């Protein structure tokens, strides 16, 4: 990729010609609409006991009911909201942290960079889920704590990618030229580094959302999610607790998992599409 | 850099990482809200055990002093007593049958995944663009998008719920505790099937995609053309030359993804009630058994660091260039 300024409109037009990207975008828009219109789409409240336990799908409850008689369709619809909000906010936060650290290391280098790289090496050997479990063990889990934990544990890949690209931008003649005419570090960062690194930030953010959604799902499935919210992971936690697999209650297990898979796949496709466009060497023939 | 010096340098770096990990573990568990001795003392322990712990870990001394006592105790293999398992020493609880169960499950799972990934990845990469390639790649992408615990639940639903082919939970059948060793082994393996399938589904797709992409990348290199020009058969190029690269890739991945080993163990063991370290950690979190959480935390860091160290050494042995460029990454 050449270091000219990317034209946003052009980029979007190019992206839309890629099937991977458009498919991913379509999936996420679909899930997004479900999440935004949850109040309209869901026929019942996700926490209300509206029927008998473990009723198979019927016209009245199209995804059936759980062991406590809640409407699984409504729970799944509201689950989209929790999963997307946690995923997007945690990814946004981790992307901001990762970008700041990456730019800092790439611009300042030297001692700061060396220290941060050691921290990154250390964090790479951390078993994230175990750490998250240990933290949740002391703190009462809430949606906000979960977002912060996920962000704090997942900024590393972004930081590494941004750092490498910042270094390569900083090595360009135009940066030297800008310095020669008196541009300060701040101006170089906002004017040259960030615009050139932003495509990598975007695709890295898409991958962060994917990771955050899987992470939240895993925590909730282990019963360590926010107890006041119903996410897809929480539904599967209830399903396991109720022994839905022994009872053959497939309607309790299949839909929430499919939704997680679909959402994660959507963000993966978006990230892959971005990579294909921005990094032509990866393009598949 | 000589091989010995390279290994010494990597070993030193690994030791530092482990040391940082142990330090983080110590202070993390001392910053618990409330009592700073909560990491070692609990009302679930007997008064005598508590007194012994205060003595052994210097819990009435200042924090910095406790830190050095903690390090000394760690070297002696003393990590305190479990709150839940009637005051069993943490190290005894971890380094016992539970660790064996986890090593069997994860070791076999990773081995099977690596084996399939190496050969299937080679074949698929060689035939890139073919129908087999497209199917394998898309299935792998789908599989990496599915949460592992959901796959576990689906396998339980189908094979335990509907077909009744595998047990719904556990490591052994209670009624067979007294049976002869061979029956018990068969029973153990029967319990292993479900979690093992899940672990393979967990690791295989990412290994496979990685090997495939490496092979596709190498196919564009000049030496492949030279080999072809030399008149070598496809099979000879595949298994004589490419296999090495594929294996190297897998070794790297095994190390790089070793943190995933821990999450995989926690989730899979929880879903299947497999009596290993992952399930122990999960139960300890639910019951606030801090000494056990702390012990497993340290163990997992050591495992990941050692895995990376081994990968570095194997790499240096296979590919001498690495020694001069200062390691992977």
């Amino acid at each position: 990729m050449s270091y000219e300024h990317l034209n946003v409109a052009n980029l979007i037009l190019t992206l839309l010609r890629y099937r991977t990207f458009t498919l991913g975008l379509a999936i996420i828009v679909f899930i997004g609409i479900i999440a935004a219109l949850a109040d309209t789409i869901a026929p019942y409240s996700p926490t209300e006991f509206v029927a008998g336990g473990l009723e198979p799908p019927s016209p009245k409850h199209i995804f059936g009911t759980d062991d406590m008689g809640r409407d699984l369709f409504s729970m799944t619809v509201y689950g989209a909201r929790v999963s997307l909000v946690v995923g997007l906010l945690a990814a946004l936060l981790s992307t901001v942290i990762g970008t700041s650290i990456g730019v800092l290391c790439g611009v300042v280098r030297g001692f700061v960079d060396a220290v941060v790289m050691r921290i990154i090496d250390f964090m790479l050997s951390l078993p994230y889920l175990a750490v998250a479990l240990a933290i949740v063990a002391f703190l009462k889990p809430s949606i906000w704590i979960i977002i912060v934990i996920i962000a704090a544990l997942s900024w590393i890949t972004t930081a590494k990618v941004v750092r490498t690209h910042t270094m390569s931008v900083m090595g360009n003649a135009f940066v030297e030229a800008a310095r020669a005419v008196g541009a300060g570090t701040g101006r170089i960062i906002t004017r040259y580094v960030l615009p050139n690194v932003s495509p990598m930030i975007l695709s890295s953010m898409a991958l962060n959302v994917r990771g955050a959604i899987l992470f939240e799902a895993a925590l909730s499935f282990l019963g360590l999610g926010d107890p006041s919210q119903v996410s897809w992971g929480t539904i599967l936690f209830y399903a396991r607790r109720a022994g839905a697999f022994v009872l053959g209650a497939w309607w309790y297990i299949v839909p929430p998992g499919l939704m997680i898979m679909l959402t994660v796949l959507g963000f993966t496709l978006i990230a892959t599409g971005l990579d294909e466009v921005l990094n032509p060497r990866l393009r598949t023939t | 850099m000589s091989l010995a010096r390279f290994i010494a340098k990597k070993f030193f770096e690994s030791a530092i990482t482990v040391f940082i990990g142990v330090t983080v573990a110590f202070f993390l568990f001392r910053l618990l809200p409330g009592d700073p001795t909560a990491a070692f003392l609990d009302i679930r322990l007997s008064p005598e055990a508590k007194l012994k712990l205060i003595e052994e870990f210097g819990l009435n001394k200042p924090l910095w002093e406790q830190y050095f006592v903690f390090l000394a105790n760690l070297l002696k293999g003393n990590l305190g007593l479990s709150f839940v398992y009637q005051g069993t020493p943490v190290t005894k609880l971890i380094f016992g049958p539970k660790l064996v169960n986890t090593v069997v499950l994860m070791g076999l799972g990773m081995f099977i995944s690596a084996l399939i990934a190496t050969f299937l990845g080679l074949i698929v990469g060689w035939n890139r663009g073919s129908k087999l390639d497209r199917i394998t790649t898309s299935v792998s992408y789908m599989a990496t998008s599915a949460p592992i615990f959901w796959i576990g639940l689906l396998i339980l639903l189908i094979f335990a719920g509907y077909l009744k082919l595998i047990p719904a939970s556990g490591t052994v059948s209670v009624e067979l505790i007294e049976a002869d060793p061979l029956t018990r082994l068969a029973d153990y393996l029967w319990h292993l099937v479900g979690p093992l399938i899940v672990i393979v589904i967990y690791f295989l797709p990412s290994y496979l995609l990685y090997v495939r992409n490496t092979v596709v990348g190498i196919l564009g290199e000049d030496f492949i053309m030279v080999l072809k020009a030399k008149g070598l058969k496809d099979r000879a190029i595949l298994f004589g030359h490419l296999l090495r690269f594929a294996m190297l890739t897998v070794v790297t991945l095994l190390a790089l993804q070793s943190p995933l080993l821990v999450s995989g163990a926690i989730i899979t063991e929880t879903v299947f009630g497999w009596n290993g370290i992952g399930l122990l950690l999960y139960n300890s979190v639910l019951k606030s058994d801090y000494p056990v959480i702390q012990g497993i935390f340290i163990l997992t860091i050591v495992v990941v660091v050692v895995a990376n160290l081994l990968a570095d050494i194997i790499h240096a042995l296979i590919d001498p260039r690495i020694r001069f460029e200062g390691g992977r990454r």
Side-chain angles (χ1 to χ4, degrees), chain B residues 149-272:
Chain B
F149 54 84
W150 182 57
I151 293 180
L153 287 179
L154 287 181
I155 285 179
L156 278 175
L157 177 72
I158 297 169
F159 294 104
Y162 289 131
L163 303 176
K164 313 240 181 278
L165 286 175
I166 58 167
S169 179
T171 321
V172 286
S173 306
V174 187
E175 66 274 14
L176 291 177
I177 295 281
E178 305 276 300
D180 65 297
L182 216 62
T183 319
R184 286 215 312 264
L185 180 68
D187 181 55
Y188 184 78
L189 293 177
W190 182 53
H191 280 82
L192 182 63
V193 175
L196 191 59
I197 294 175
V198 173
I199 293 295
V200 171
I201 296 178
Y202 182 52
F203 284 117
L204 182 57
S206 54
Y207 287 6
L208 187 63
L209 287 174
Y210 210 90
V211 173
R212 177 206 173 267
N213 293 343
T214 311
V215 171
V216 169
I218 294 171
L219 285 179
E221 305 252 339
D222 293 342
F223 78 92
I224 298 289
M225 216 194 295
V226 173
L227 290 176
K228 278 190 184 162
K230 236 169 71 177
L232 278 189
K233 293 240 165 55
D234 282 2
R235 187 187 297 264
I237 299 179
L238 255 177
F239 294 105
H241 296 269
L242 287 176
L243 185 61
R244 241 175 88 117
F245 286 98
M247 277 162 63
L248 197 64
T249 315
V250 170
V251 169
T252 318
L253 266 183
L254 287 179
L256 276 182
Q257 298 206 332
S258 50
L260 288 183
L261 205 68
V262 183
S263 7
I266 296 173
I267 291 174
T268 313
E269 289 179 5
T270 306
V271 172
F272 287 89

Side-chain angles (χ1 to χ4, degrees), chain A residues 22-36:
Chain A
T22 34
L23 181 60
L25 192 67
I27 294 174
I28 298 309
V29 167
F30 171 68
I31 309 267
I33 290 174
I34 294 179

Side-chain angles (χ1 to χ4, degrees), chain A:
Chain A
M1 201 189 86
S2 65
Y3 287 113
E4 71 223 19
H5 277 164
L6 282 168
N7 180 326
V8 178
N10 244 336
L11 174 65
I12 293 173
L13 281 180
T14 320
L15 278 171
L16 288 179
R17 275 191 274 121
Y18 277 81
R19 253 195 318 183
T20 20
F21 183 81
T22 34
L23 181 60
L25 192 67
I27 294 174
I28 298 309
V29 167
F30 171 68
I31 309 267
I33 290 174
I34 294 179
L37 301 180
D39 298 318
T40 323
I41 299 174
Y44 305 93
S45 148
T47 47
E48 205 183 339
F49 310 118
V50 288
L54 286 183
E55 282 178 14
S58 63
K60 204 162 161 246
H61 301 285
I62 52 173
F63 282 8
T65 63
D66 76 356
D67 53 311
M68 295 195 271
R70 287 171 296 195
D71 179 60
L72 275 165
F73 178 70
S74 307
M75 289 168 85
T76 309
V77 166
Y78 277 98
R81 203 175 260 186
V82 181
S83 297
L84 271 192
V85 166
V86 173
L88 288 172
L89 286 183
L92 188 67
L93 192 57
S94 81
T95 310
V96 169
I97 300 173
T99 305
S100 319
I101 292 178
V103 169
L104 179 80
C105 288
V107 172
V108 180
R109 301 207 184 189
F111 181 69
V112 177
D113 183 42
V115 171
V116 173
M117 286 316 280
R118 289 257 25 113
I119 296 177
I120 287 181
D121 270 352
F122 168 68
M123 301 235 355
L124 279 174
S125 54
L126 281 183
Y128 295 149
L129 190 62
V131 177
L133 285 183
I135 298 175
V136 179
F138 324 136
L139 302 170
K140 276 244 165 309
S142 79
I143 229 174
W144 305 110
I145 287 180
I146 288 167
I147 289 173
V148 171
I149 292 178
I150 295 177
L153 292 174
S154 57
W155 53 270
I156 296 159
T157 15
T158 313
K160 283 184 100 170
V161 172
V162 171
R163 172 181 172 270
T164 315
H165 283 279
T166 304
M167 285 184 171
S168 107
V169 174
M170 292 298 284
N172 270 287
F174 60 74
V175 172
E176 212 174 313
R179 270 209 206 286
V181 296
T185 307
R187 185 171 162 78
I188 288 176
I189 291 176
T190 50
R191 185 81 177 75
Y192 300 100
V193 174
L194 285 180
N196 281 314
V197 176
S198 55
M200 286 73 197
I201 301 178
L202 268 183
S203 94
S204 168
M205 168 136 177
L207 286 180
N208 285 342
V209 183
R210 168 203 148 94
I213 288 176
L214 281 173
F215 209 131
E216 187 277 333
L219 278 179
S220 302
F221 171 72
L222 293 173
L224 297 165
D226 188 330
S228 65
Q229 305 281 343
V230 176
S231 78
W232 295 323
T234 321
I235 302 176
L236 290 167
F237 166 66
Y238 294 145
R240 191 183 93 82
R241 206 178 50 182
F245 47 92
V246 192
L247 303 168
W250 57 271
W251 61 90
Y252 203 166
I253 295 172
V254 176
L258 270 183
M259 293 301 278
I260 300 175
M261 192 168 112
L262 199 61
T263 315
V264 169
L265 193 64
F267 282 108
T268 314
L269 290 174
I270 289 181
T272 316
L274 279 168
D275 273 343
E276 278 176 1
V277 174
L278 303 168
N279 196 350
R281 284 210 310 171
L282 292 177
R283 272 177 216 177
T284 42
T285 42

